[in-house]
Protein backbone atom coordinates (compact mmCIF):
# COMPACT_ATOMS: atom_id res chain seq x y z
CA UNK A 1 0.00 0.00 0.00
CA UNK A 2 2.76 2.47 0.83
CA UNK A 3 4.52 1.87 -2.48
CA UNK A 4 1.34 2.42 -4.48
CA UNK A 5 0.51 5.55 -2.47
CA UNK A 6 3.98 7.03 -3.02
CA UNK A 7 3.77 6.33 -6.75
CA UNK A 8 0.39 8.10 -6.89
CA UNK A 9 1.87 11.08 -5.05
CA UNK A 10 4.76 11.16 -7.55
CA UNK A 11 2.27 11.37 -10.42
CA UNK A 12 0.36 14.15 -8.68
CA UNK A 13 3.29 16.23 -7.42
CA UNK A 14 6.18 15.16 -9.59
CA UNK A 15 8.33 13.63 -6.85
CA UNK A 16 7.86 11.21 -3.96
CA UNK A 17 10.14 9.12 -1.76
CA UNK A 18 9.60 5.94 0.21
CA UNK A 19 12.00 4.57 2.80
CA UNK A 20 10.74 1.02 2.26
CA UNK A 21 10.07 -1.17 -0.73
CA UNK A 22 12.12 -2.23 -3.71
CA UNK A 23 11.47 -5.95 -3.09
CA UNK A 24 12.57 -6.80 -6.61
CA UNK A 25 13.39 -10.52 -6.20
CA UNK A 26 9.81 -11.72 -5.68
CA UNK A 27 8.23 -13.63 -8.59
CA UNK A 28 4.50 -13.97 -9.34
CA UNK A 29 4.18 -17.37 -7.64
CA UNK A 30 6.98 -17.40 -5.06
CA UNK A 31 9.18 -15.17 -2.95
CA UNK A 32 12.96 -14.98 -3.23
CA UNK A 33 15.94 -13.16 -1.76
CA UNK A 34 14.11 -11.95 1.38
CA UNK A 35 11.32 -10.55 -0.86
CA UNK A 36 7.79 -11.87 -0.37
CA UNK A 37 5.88 -9.54 -2.71
CA UNK A 38 7.28 -7.47 -5.55
CA UNK A 39 5.99 -4.01 -4.67
CA UNK A 40 7.61 -2.46 -7.75
CA UNK A 41 5.53 -4.74 -9.95
CA UNK A 42 2.37 -4.21 -7.90
CA UNK A 43 2.69 -0.42 -8.14
CA UNK A 44 3.48 -0.46 -11.86
CA UNK A 45 0.59 -2.80 -12.70
CA UNK A 46 -1.84 -0.84 -10.53
CA UNK A 47 -0.97 2.49 -12.13
CA UNK A 48 -1.04 1.05 -15.65
CA UNK A 49 -4.44 -0.52 -15.03
CA UNK A 50 -5.91 2.77 -13.79
CA UNK A 51 -5.18 4.78 -16.93
CA UNK A 52 -6.20 4.82 -20.57
CA UNK A 53 -4.02 4.58 -22.53
CA UNK A 54 -1.80 2.59 -20.18
CA UNK A 55 0.91 4.58 -18.46
CA UNK A 56 4.48 3.81 -19.41
CA UNK A 57 6.78 2.95 -16.49
CA UNK A 58 10.58 2.94 -16.45
CA UNK A 59 12.12 0.91 -13.62
CA UNK A 60 15.69 2.00 -12.80
CA UNK A 61 17.19 -0.61 -10.47
CA UNK A 62 20.58 0.25 -8.99
CA UNK A 63 20.54 -2.29 -6.19
CA UNK A 64 23.72 -4.38 -6.27
CA UNK A 65 21.59 -7.45 -7.05
CA UNK A 66 19.72 -7.83 -10.32
CA UNK A 67 15.97 -7.23 -10.09
CA UNK A 68 15.26 -10.71 -11.40
CA UNK A 69 11.64 -10.90 -10.24
CA UNK A 70 10.80 -7.56 -11.79
CA UNK A 71 12.50 -8.49 -15.08
CA UNK A 72 10.57 -11.77 -15.25
CA UNK A 73 7.20 -10.19 -14.47
CA UNK A 74 7.51 -7.55 -17.18
CA UNK A 75 9.41 -9.51 -19.83
CA UNK A 76 6.48 -9.29 -22.26
CA UNK A 77 5.02 -5.96 -21.11
CA UNK A 78 5.78 -3.25 -23.67
CA UNK A 79 4.62 -0.45 -21.36
CA UNK A 80 7.31 -1.24 -18.77
CA UNK A 81 11.06 -0.88 -19.41
CA UNK A 82 13.37 -2.55 -16.87
CA UNK A 83 16.92 -1.19 -16.48
CA UNK A 84 19.22 -2.94 -14.02
CA UNK A 85 22.83 -2.21 -13.03
CA UNK A 86 24.11 -5.00 -10.80
CA UNK A 87 27.14 -7.00 -9.75
CA UNK A 88 27.30 -9.92 -12.19
CA UNK A 89 28.75 -12.44 -9.74
CA UNK A 90 26.34 -11.62 -6.92
CA UNK A 91 22.88 -13.00 -6.13
CA UNK A 92 20.84 -14.22 -7.94
CA UNK A 93 22.95 -16.92 -9.54
CA UNK A 94 20.47 -17.36 -12.38
CA UNK A 95 19.76 -13.95 -13.88
CA UNK A 96 16.62 -13.01 -15.77
CA UNK A 97 16.68 -10.80 -18.85
CA UNK A 98 15.80 -7.17 -18.23
CA UNK A 99 15.17 -4.81 -21.12
CA UNK A 100 18.64 -3.42 -20.38
CA UNK A 101 21.09 -5.19 -18.08
CA UNK A 102 24.50 -3.81 -17.15
CA UNK A 103 26.52 -6.44 -15.30
CA UNK A 104 29.53 -4.96 -13.49
CA UNK A 105 32.60 -6.68 -12.07
CA UNK A 106 33.47 -7.24 -8.43
CA UNK A 107 35.38 -4.36 -6.85
CA UNK A 108 34.13 -1.67 -9.25
CA UNK A 109 34.79 1.83 -7.89
CA UNK A 110 33.09 5.21 -8.25
CA UNK A 111 34.32 6.40 -11.66
CA UNK A 112 33.53 3.25 -13.61
CA UNK A 113 30.20 2.74 -11.87
CA UNK A 114 29.06 6.30 -12.54
CA UNK A 115 29.78 5.84 -16.25
CA UNK A 116 26.97 3.26 -16.45
CA UNK A 117 24.40 6.00 -15.87
CA UNK A 118 25.10 7.47 -19.32
CA UNK A 119 22.25 5.26 -20.56
CA UNK A 120 19.62 7.11 -18.55
CA UNK A 121 19.13 10.27 -20.67
CA UNK A 122 18.80 8.08 -23.76
CA UNK A 123 16.23 5.84 -22.09
CA UNK A 124 14.14 8.80 -20.98
CA UNK A 125 14.23 10.33 -24.45
CA UNK A 126 13.39 7.15 -26.39
CA UNK A 127 10.99 5.37 -24.01
CA UNK A 128 9.34 8.55 -22.65
CA UNK A 129 7.92 7.13 -19.40
CA UNK A 130 5.02 8.63 -17.47
CA UNK A 131 6.57 7.40 -14.21
CA UNK A 132 10.03 6.30 -13.11
CA UNK A 133 10.39 3.81 -10.28
CA UNK A 134 13.91 4.16 -8.92
CA UNK A 135 15.22 1.35 -6.73
CA UNK A 136 18.19 3.04 -5.06
CA UNK A 137 19.92 0.28 -3.14
CA UNK A 138 22.68 1.24 -0.71
CA UNK A 139 24.46 -2.11 -1.06
CA UNK A 140 26.97 -1.05 -3.79
CA UNK A 141 28.75 0.81 -0.97
CA UNK A 142 32.17 -0.53 0.01
CA UNK A 143 31.11 -1.12 3.62
CA UNK A 144 28.52 -3.68 2.56
CA UNK A 145 30.62 -6.84 2.79
CA UNK A 146 28.13 -8.84 0.72
CA UNK A 147 27.72 -6.24 -2.03
CA UNK A 148 31.20 -6.79 -3.52
CA UNK A 149 31.42 -3.30 -5.05
CA UNK A 150 33.52 -0.35 -3.85
CA UNK A 151 31.42 2.81 -4.03
CA UNK A 152 32.31 5.49 -1.49
CA UNK A 153 30.02 8.00 0.23
CA UNK A 154 31.15 10.59 -2.31
CA UNK A 155 30.46 8.22 -5.18
CA UNK A 156 26.93 7.55 -4.00
CA UNK A 157 26.29 11.27 -3.60
CA UNK A 158 27.54 11.88 -7.13
CA UNK A 159 25.33 9.05 -8.37
CA UNK A 160 22.15 10.58 -6.90
CA UNK A 161 23.20 14.02 -8.18
CA UNK A 162 23.81 12.59 -11.66
CA UNK A 163 20.45 10.87 -11.83
CA UNK A 164 18.11 13.43 -10.27
CA UNK A 165 18.25 16.16 -12.98
CA UNK A 166 17.14 13.67 -15.64
CA UNK A 167 14.03 12.40 -13.89
CA UNK A 168 10.98 14.58 -13.46
CA UNK A 169 8.43 12.04 -12.25
CA UNK A 170 10.27 9.77 -9.94
CA UNK A 171 9.54 7.39 -7.10
CA UNK A 172 12.59 6.70 -4.94
CA UNK A 173 13.17 3.52 -2.97
CA UNK A 174 15.88 2.82 -0.45
CA UNK A 175 16.70 -0.84 -0.16
CA UNK A 176 18.28 -1.79 3.15
CA UNK A 177 21.59 -3.58 2.86
CA UNK A 178 21.73 -7.19 4.00
CA UNK A 179 24.98 -6.36 5.79
CA UNK A 180 24.27 -5.51 9.47
CA UNK A 181 27.41 -3.39 9.66
CA UNK A 182 26.52 -1.32 6.60
CA UNK A 183 22.98 -0.76 7.84
CA UNK A 184 24.05 0.23 11.34
CA UNK A 185 26.78 2.59 10.15
CA UNK A 186 25.00 4.16 7.17
CA UNK A 187 21.44 4.65 8.42
CA UNK A 188 22.32 7.36 10.90
CA UNK A 189 22.55 11.11 10.55
CA UNK A 190 25.52 13.46 10.58
CA UNK A 191 23.38 16.58 11.02
CA UNK A 192 21.60 18.06 13.98
CA UNK A 193 18.45 15.97 13.68
CA UNK A 194 18.62 13.88 16.83
CA UNK A 195 20.73 11.05 15.42
CA UNK A 196 24.42 10.26 15.41
CA UNK A 197 26.55 9.10 12.53
CA UNK A 198 28.08 10.27 9.30
CA UNK A 199 26.11 9.14 6.27
CA UNK A 200 22.65 10.67 6.45
CA UNK A 201 21.04 12.05 3.30
CA UNK A 202 19.16 14.83 5.16
CA UNK A 203 21.03 17.69 3.54
CA UNK A 204 20.96 16.10 0.09
CA UNK A 205 17.25 15.37 0.07
CA UNK A 206 16.40 18.83 1.39
CA UNK A 207 18.20 20.26 -1.64
CA UNK A 208 16.35 17.93 -4.00
CA UNK A 209 12.92 18.82 -2.61
CA UNK A 210 13.76 22.52 -2.47
CA UNK A 211 14.79 22.52 -6.11
CA UNK A 212 11.67 20.58 -7.06
CA UNK A 213 9.41 23.07 -5.26
CA UNK A 214 11.12 25.93 -7.09
CA UNK A 215 10.98 24.43 -10.59
CA UNK A 216 7.86 22.27 -10.37
CA UNK A 217 7.35 18.94 -12.13
CA UNK A 218 8.41 18.66 -15.74
CA UNK A 219 5.84 16.49 -17.46
CA UNK A 220 7.12 13.68 -19.62
CA UNK A 221 4.93 13.56 -22.71
CA UNK A 222 3.87 10.38 -24.42
CA UNK A 223 4.75 10.33 -28.16
CA UNK A 224 1.80 11.23 -30.37
CA UNK A 225 0.49 8.30 -32.36
CA UNK A 226 0.44 8.77 -36.10
Amino acid sequence: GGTVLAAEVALQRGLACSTAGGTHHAFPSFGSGFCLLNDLAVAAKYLMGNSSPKRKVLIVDLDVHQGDGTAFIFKEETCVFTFSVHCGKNFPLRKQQSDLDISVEDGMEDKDYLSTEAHLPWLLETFRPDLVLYDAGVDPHWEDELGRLRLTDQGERELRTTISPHISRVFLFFNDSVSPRAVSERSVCDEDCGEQGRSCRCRYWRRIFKRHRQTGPQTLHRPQSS
Side-chain angles (χ1 to χ4, degrees), residues 171-217:
F171 179 24
L172 303 177
F173 295 94
F174 282 102
N175 269 6
D176 282 338
S177 163
V178 294
S179 163
R181 177 185 173 190
V183 171
S184 63
E185 291 188 358
R186 305 196 70 246
S187 60
V188 290
C189 183
D190 64 355
E191 294 200 78
D192 186 17
C193 66
E195 299 292 338
Q196 294 180 349
R198 57 187 175 84
S199 300
C200 180
R201 297 292 187 265
C202 287
R203 186 179 306 141
Y204 171 74
W205 290 116
R206 280 204 295 270
R207 288 201 304 267
I208 293 295
F209 279 107
K210 181 179 180 181
R211 183 176 65 190
H212 181 74
R213 286 195 299 270
Q214 292 172 342
T215 61

Side-chain angles (χ1 to χ4, degrees), residues 16-170:
C17 299
S18 173
T19 55
T23 49
H24 57 176
H25 295 307
F27 284 72
S29 59
F30 61 91
S32 177
F34 305 108
C35 302
L36 180 60
L37 298 173
N38 193 316
D39 63 314
L40 288 160
V42 170
K45 284 179 173 287
Y46 174 80
L47 292 174
M48 286 191 300
N50 281 0
S51 65
S52 181
K54 287 202 300 187
R55 292 186 178 98
K56 297 175 70 175
V57 180
L58 169 63
I59 299 177
V60 177
D61 193 333
L62 301 188
D63 189 273
V64 79
H65 309 102
Q66 191 210 32
D68 54 334
T70 310
F72 178 85
I73 290 169
F74 293 118
K75 62 182 179 180
E76 297 180 356
E77 175 54 71
T78 59
C79 288
V80 176
F81 192 102
T82 52
F83 171 38
S84 177
V85 180
H86 51 269
C87 182
K89 295 180 181 179
N90 212 319
F91 179 88
L93 178 63
R94 178 179 296 177
K95 307 291 193 291
Q96 300 294 320
Q97 184 174 342
S98 307
D99 292 300
L100 176 58
D101 283 307
I102 299 180
S103 176
V104 303
E105 297 295 325
D106 286 14
M108 180 172 281
E109 298 182 352
D110 293 345
K111 183 178 179 180
D112 290 334
Y113 188 90
L114 289 168
S115 70
T116 65
E117 306 317 311
H119 296 275
L120 190 56
W122 169 80
L123 285 176
L124 291 167
E125 178 62 28
T126 56
F127 185 64
R128 292 180 175 266
D130 299 296
L131 177 69
V132 179
L133 303 183
Y134 171 29
D135 189 344
V138 300
D139 40 13
H141 193 268
W142 71 272
E143 286 186 319
D144 191 315
E145 299 94 334
L146 303 180
R148 303 171 74 163
L149 300 185
R150 301 290 299 173
L151 267 67
T152 64
D153 285 357
Q154 179 62 28
E156 290 207 347
R157 282 192 291 269
E158 290 182 15
L159 175 63
R160 312 305 182 218
T161 303
T162 300
I163 289 174
S164 58
H166 298 296
I167 300 177
S168 57
R169 287 188 168 179
V170 60

